[in-house]
């Protein structure tokens, strides 16, 4: 499965006419890598350009018809109803429509938590494995974090992007073109040179011996791959795939 890392992590649409709400949503979510767009709440018949992963519907007074309309218009998105005040009956009605409920006023971390739940739900729906594990080396594909021996490893976005793409199909080769496309770069001489530089830096960070890698492996003339996941098994030899 191809995984593109060049775009925003999550695409969010806020259906509201309130500028302050939009500013709040952007201030909370854009620093986390989300893309936040806005539109009037069905002021026009046209649907906002998507696709979107999460659609927030601002409903000062709960209107289930508008929520159903949003659900039909953005059937692939997770809906969050932002309501003017908390009422238990409203909350139950929203949940019955398979949407999330957030009453105002809300704390920034409440909003962030709702979006994280939506992100994790969509991630799980893809059927992808969340973690790549090889010995003490772990990649969290959802949170996009890397650790070795329980200690986090800080990586540049391009380096993290390479690992994310390779971990999505661990044990299988990803061609140079596929990796570069996932990074949003052209499959050119300069692009491949930059990719080799990223792999060189990665090996210095994650390999016990960067000159004889056993995690990030090269398929000569084709691309790169990560060693297969292991479940308590010793690492196999990959002598034929080592080096650049």
């Amino acid at each position: 499965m191809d995984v593109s890392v060049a775009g925003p992590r999550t695409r969010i649409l806020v259906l509201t006419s309130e500028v302050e709400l939009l500013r709040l949503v952007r201030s909370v979510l854009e620093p986390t890598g989300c893309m936040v767009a806005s539109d009037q709440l069905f002021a026009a018949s046209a649907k906002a350009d998507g696709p979107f992963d999460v659609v927030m519907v601002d409903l000062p007074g709960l209107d289930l018809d508008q929520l159903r309309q949003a659900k039909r218009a953005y059937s692939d998105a997770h809906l969050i109803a932002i309501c003017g005040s908390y009422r238990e009956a409203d909350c139950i009605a929203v949940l019955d429509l398979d949407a999330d409920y957030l009453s105002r006023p809300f704390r920034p971390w409440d909003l962030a938590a709702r979006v994280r739940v939506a992100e994790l739900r969509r991630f799980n729906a893809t059927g992808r494995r969340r973690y790549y594990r090889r010995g003490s080396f772990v990649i969290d594909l959802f949170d996009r974090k890397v650790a070795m021996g329980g200690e986090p490893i800080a990586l540049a976005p391009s380096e993290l992007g390479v690992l994310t793409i390779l971990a999505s199909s661990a044990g299988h080769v990803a061609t140079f073109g596929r990796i570069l496309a996932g990074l949003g770069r052209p499959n050119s001489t300069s692009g491949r040179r930059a990719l080799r530089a990223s792999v060189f830096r990665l090996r210095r960070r994650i390999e016990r011996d960067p000159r004889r890698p056993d995690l990030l492996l090269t398929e000569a003339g084709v691309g790169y791959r990560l060693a297969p996941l292991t479940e308590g098994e010793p690492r196999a030899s990959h002598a034929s795939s080592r080096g650049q």
Side-chain angles (χ1 to χ4, degrees):
M1 177 183 299
D2 287 343
V3 176
S4 176
V5 297
R9 169 174 174 149
T10 302
R11 296 155 298 184
I12 296 173
L13 175 65
V14 184
L15 296 176
T16 184
S17 58
E18 186 178 329
V19 175
E20 288 303 318
L21 175 61
L22 179 60
R23 287 175 179 167
L24 175 59
V25 172
R26 282 180 167 156
S27 69
V28 173
L29 299 179
E30 286 185 343
T32 70
C34 295
M35 179 203 76
V36 180
S38 67
D39 197 6
Q40 297 291 315
L41 186 58
F42 305 116
S45 58
K47 175 182 171 182
D49 292 336
F52 296 101
D53 302 306
V54 178
V55 174
M56 299 181 182
V57 187
D58 182 19
L59 299 171
L62 182 61
D63 186 328
L64 294 180
D65 287 338
Q66 285 191 323
L67 197 58
R68 292 189 187 97
Q69 187 177 351
K71 192 171 183 66
R72 288 192 299 269
Y74 304 98
S75 57
D76 293 332
H78 180 77
L79 259 60
I80 300 177
I82 300 178
C83 300
S85 60
Y86 177 79
R87 292 180 66 245
E88 184 175 354
D90 291 348
C91 179
I92 294 172
V94 169
L95 295 176
D96 282 344
L97 288 178
D98 195 27
D100 207 343
Y101 179 87
L102 183 62
S103 61
R104 303 175 69 174
F106 56 82
R107 297 168 297 183
W109 48 87
D110 290 331
L111 174 65
R114 296 300 197 285
V115 172
R116 179 175 172 81
V117 168
E119 289 176 322
L120 186 55
R121 180 177 176 179
R122 291 180 64 84
F123 182 91
N124 290 337
T126 67
R128 285 185 288 158
R129 181 189 295 268
R130 175 172 175 176
Y131 296 100
Y132 168 88
R133 301 179 190 275
R134 181 79 176 178
S136 65
F137 179 68
V138 180
I139 303 172
D140 185 333
L141 289 168
F142 174 68
D143 281 329
R144 299 180 185 183
K145 294 180 180 179
V146 179
M148 176 76 79
E151 295 296 322
I153 301 175
L155 298 174
S158 60
E159 296 162 6
L160 184 57
V162 171
L163 288 182
T164 298
I165 293 167
L166 297 181
S168 70
S169 56
H172 300 280
V173 64
T175 64
F176 300 123
R178 176 189 165 193
I179 298 170
L180 289 167
L183 295 173
R185 295 178 177 173
N187 186 7
S188 61
T189 300
S190 60
R192 292 195 180 195
R193 187 181 305 116
L195 177 57
R196 287 195 296 270
S198 292
V199 169
F200 176 78
R201 292 191 297 269
L202 274 170
R203 285 176 171 157
R204 295 184 65 183
R205 302 297 305 278
I206 69 176
E207 299 284 1
R208 290 174 296 184
D209 183 352
R211 296 169 298 179
R212 296 178 57 82
D214 59 1
L215 284 172
L216 204 174
L217 310 171
T218 299
E219 293 293 336
V222 180
Y224 299 102
R225 65 183 174 91
L226 284 179
L229 291 85
T230 56
E231 301 294 338
E233 298 177 1
R235 292 182 180 177
S237 173
H238 300 282
S240 62
S241 300
R242 289 177 174 170
Q244 293 197 63

